[in-house]
Amino acid sequence: MIAAIDAPSIATCQALLLLSIKSHRTGKHTKSWHFLGLACRVMQSLGSHRDRASEHGVEIHRRLFWTCYILDKLLGVERAFSLLYECCMRLKSPIPFSRAPVDDSPK
């Protein structure tokens, strides 16, 4: 897992988010918080928290950021603090799935 964190990717962030959710659902709340923290840092290292108006894959980065943000807020309720703050929210909301499917294939 350390090698995956050394080379951050969208897939690594998604996997860490899934591990966080799974850990939380099985009662391992501290482990869940740690996985979420890693996911947030990978997301930030990818630059997903910044708007990328002209780059390919902008929608997947928006969805990645908002997934991290929402999960952080949900888990933060139990801990009375969160990892991500409103000051880093410079990103538009993602397009609803019904209007624009995510196409992450290279062009």
Side-chain angles (χ1 to χ4, degrees):
M1 180 153 86
I2 299 300
I5 295 171
D6 285 341
S9 68
I10 291 170
T12 298
C13 189
Q14 290 170 329
L16 288 166
L17 287 168
L18 289 173
L19 286 168
S20 178
I21 293 167
K22 171 70 171 162
S23 297
H24 192 267
R25 289 187 51 83
T26 56
K28 299 174 183 165
H29 300 274
T30 301
K31 187 181 278 190
S32 173
W33 188 251
H34 290 292
F35 282 132
L36 176 61
L38 288 170
C40 289
R41 277 142 189 90
V42 169
M43 177 271 298
Q44 289 172 329
S45 70
L46 292 170
S48 298
H49 61 297
R50 294 188 201 104
D51 207 358
R52 307 162 160 241
S54 62
E55 292 183 35
H56 174 71
V58 65
E59 195 61 27
I60 193 74
H61 284 278
R62 282 183 184 156
R63 291 173 192 260
L64 189 64
F65 168 78
W66 285 107
T67 302
C68 287
Y69 183 83
I70 291 167
L71 189 57
D72 175 53
K73 295 303 171 196
L74 289 172
L75 296 183
V77 168
E78 295 174 357
R79 296 192 171 264
F81 66 91
S82 65
L83 299 166
L84 300 173
Y85 300 101
E86 282 74 16
C87 64
C88 69
M89 291 179 43
R90 298 184 186 102
L91 203 58
K92 296 176 186 173
S93 299
I95 298 169
F97 280 112
S98 62
R99 288 196 4 217
V102 175
D103 180 17
D104 204 24
S105 59
K107 297 192 185 210

